Amino acid sequence: MVGVSEVAYPDSLLSEGEHVVAHKHPHFKMLVFPVFVLLVTVVAGVWLAMRAGELEPPWDMVATIAVASVGGILVIWLVLTPFVRWRTTHFVVTTDRVIVREGVIRRTGIDIPMQRIHSVRFEHGLVDRIFGCGTLIIESASDEPLTFDDIPQVERMHTYIYRQVNDNPYDDHQPRDEHDDAGHEPGRQERYGRA
């Protein structure tokens, strides 16, 4: 079953029989500040370049080059770098594991097998709810909880992981072994062993 996906995750990185359920980049919220910086840098750069043109030669050229250099450094550092970091960060839920990959030059990755996940929960405040994202917390065997921020559609991702952990793609509340072969939930006496 293929769920929410933005860009196909390479099949060569998946195990045999493993399928992608959901694949996301961090929420675009993390790009709001870089876009704001870009706009401010362009407006300030144009204004300063026009002011530099009023200077006496050769200072007009020196000032223009200085403005362009500082503007270029700011754009690379505060705009291009966060964009590349956003684009190269992947949060993937497959039928077998949760995969997180990030980085360009220094690449890091985490793989959490579904059978090692004990619990999964999400948190999102008012701002996150407005943007439709949140924080996903995954607790696995013998490890500290792993926290992933700015996950888009965090409730849906939570549900995808829950379903894979409980091996039941149709039910958010009952693991598959609590249903009989016909898909019915056992009666209360049957479930709790009452006579």
Side-chain angles (χ1 to χ4, degrees):
M1 175 182 106
V2 177
V4 177
S5 181
E6 291 182 352
V7 177
Y9 196 72
D11 288 340
S12 60
L13 301 178
L14 300 177
S15 304
E16 186 176 344
E18 183 178 19
H19 303 287
V20 172
V21 175
H23 175 201
K24 292 298 224 174
H25 294 289
H27 194 271
F28 73 86
K29 178 184 80 167
M30 70 181 294
L31 297 176
V32 170
F33 179 72
V35 168
F36 176 75
V37 168
L38 177 63
L39 294 174
V40 169
T41 302
V42 168
V43 170
V46 169
W47 183 79
L48 289 171
M50 289 172 54
R51 298 285 299 187
E54 298 172 4
L55 296 174
E56 299 273 330
W59 296 110
D60 59 341
M61 186 60 68
V62 171
T64 302
I65 291 171
V67 167
S69 299
V70 171
I73 290 169
L74 287 175
V75 167
I76 290 170
W77 179 36
L78 297 175
V79 179
L80 190 58
T81 301
F83 176 78
V84 171
R85 187 179 303 122
W86 171 81
R87 191 73 184 125
T88 58
T89 299
H90 302 269
F91 186 87
V92 183
V93 178
T94 75
T95 50
D96 296 344
R97 57 191 163 145
V98 174
I99 303 168
V100 180
R101 299 285 185 269
E102 56 188 350
V104 181
I105 298 170
R106 184 173 179 267
R107 196 96 170 119
T108 60
I110 300 171
D111 288 17
I112 310 167
M114 289 296 176
Q115 65 268 21
R116 290 181 57 89
I117 295 177
H118 285 278
S119 69
V120 56
R121 60 189 172 95
F122 67 88
E123 297 174 354
H124 54 175
L126 181 60
V127 174
D128 284 341
R129 289 175 70 185
I130 290 169
F131 278 103
C133 64
T135 300
L136 199 62
I137 299 125
I138 298 175
E139 294 183 22
S140 60
S142 72
D143 291 325
E144 290 293 317
L146 297 171
T147 302
F148 304 100
D149 297 318
D150 295 326
I151 301 295
Q153 300 173 325
V154 68
E155 291 186 51
R156 186 176 294 177
M157 297 297 277
H158 170 269
T159 300
Y160 288 149
I161 295 170
Y162 180 89
R163 287 176 178 171
Q164 295 305 317
V165 167
N166 289 293
D167 198 27
N168 188 343
Y170 306 108
D171 187 10
D172 287 344
H173 304 292
Q174 298 294 336
R176 180 177 289 168
D177 59 2
E178 290 190 13
H179 292 77
D180 62 20
D181 291 336
H184 296 88
E185 184 181 348
R188 184 177 178 84
Q189 291 180 350
E190 217 176 331
R191 263 177 95 179
Y192 297 104
R194 292 188 180 177

